[in-house]
Amino acid sequence: MKLLAFLAAAVISANAFLPRNKTQHTPSLIKRPRPVAPIVALSAVSQEDTDVLKERVRGLLDMTQTMLADGVPMPASAAPLENAYEQGTYNELFLQFITFFVDMKLNYDVGDDDLCRPTVFPCTDPGDEVTKEKLPQMYQFCHSMIDGADPEVQLQIWRIIVDKLASRVEMDNDSFNDWCVDALKG
């Protein structure tokens, strides 16, 4: 639970990376004086939108490095996120951020010293309490990121749900969806 709080603080909310309507203001890790346009097809994403997202991603990557216990490596998804930061489009950066966020939540836990370490919970048993806590939260997070995204991005986020979450507990899409809804109802 501490790791989710840590990551949530980094992004302020699950939708912190989704651009908002021009009239809405979204709190962010790094104060920005202007709202960002809604996520749209690649050709319509402005450089300003990309720069704001890059600024937040850089902050998240830098902060995560300081939160790792000695000798604990960044998740494997950090390298593709760094690459997307350097060369990627807005949508690629956005998708790599989601992958990084999910990997941090699933594969690391925060210890009593407030440092991240690899988790001891494999989250492969749907009956396990830790699995019931982590996977539905990540499912809900990913679904919140689908809202407002263009169809290609929605598909890629859905692939993250299937490849990283549903497959972890060996469930098909419908069963996983039902299991998550039940777990979230508590």
Side-chain angles (χ1 to χ4, degrees):
M1 192 51 99
K2 284 185 178 181
L3 182 59
L4 183 60
F6 157 67
L7 291 171
V11 297
I12 304 302
S13 74
N15 287 328
F17 284 86
L18 275 178
R20 303 285 182 177
N21 181 297
K22 288 278 187 196
T23 61
Q24 295 176 333
H25 292 277
T26 305
S28 65
L29 177 63
I30 300 167
K31 298 282 187 208
R32 60 183 153 90
R34 61 209 173 282
V36 182
I39 192 168
V40 291
L42 177 62
S43 62
V45 174
S46 73
Q47 186 60 47
E48 180 182 358
D49 296 338
T50 303
D51 291 345
V52 169
L53 180 58
K54 287 178 90 168
E55 186 177 3
R56 290 182 179 171
V57 166
R58 180 79 271 143
L60 177 63
L61 285 166
D62 292 347
M63 185 172 70
T64 301
Q65 289 176 339
T66 68
M67 296 295 296
L68 295 172
D70 288 340
V72 174
M74 291 283 276
S77 55
L81 181 57
E82 287 278 5
N83 188 47
Y85 175 82
E86 293 297 326
Q87 303 173 20
T89 64
Y90 179 92
N91 288 343
E92 182 181 346
L93 186 59
F94 184 69
L95 290 166
Q96 292 302 326
F97 159 75
I98 294 170
T99 301
F100 179 83
F101 187 90
V102 170
D103 285 350
M104 283 297 298
K105 175 63 177 162
L106 292 177
N107 300 321
Y108 294 79
D109 288 316
V110 177
D112 292 336
D113 59 358
D114 292 330
L115 294 176
C116 297
R117 290 178 176 75
T119 187
V120 296
F121 304 104
C123 293
T124 56
D125 177 6
D128 175 64
E129 288 305 314
V130 174
T131 304
K132 287 180 186 177
E133 178 183 325
K134 284 188 173 188
L135 267 59
Q137 288 177 2
M138 289 296 89
Y139 175 77
Q140 189 174 33
F141 165 77
C142 288
H143 263 281
S144 72
M145 294 299 184
I146 287 174
D147 295 337
D150 66 77
E152 178 61 29
V153 173
Q154 289 177 357
L155 177 62
Q156 294 301 318
I157 295 170
W158 188 250
R159 289 190 66 199
I160 293 169
I161 292 170
V162 172
D163 294 346
K164 291 194 174 280
L165 303 176
S167 66
R168 198 171 189 116
V169 288
E170 299 178 351
M171 290 186 188
D172 63 52
N173 294 342
D174 291 336
S175 298
F176 185 71
N177 178 63
D178 294 344
W179 177 77
C180 285
V181 168
D182 289 344
L184 289 167
K185 285 180 184 176

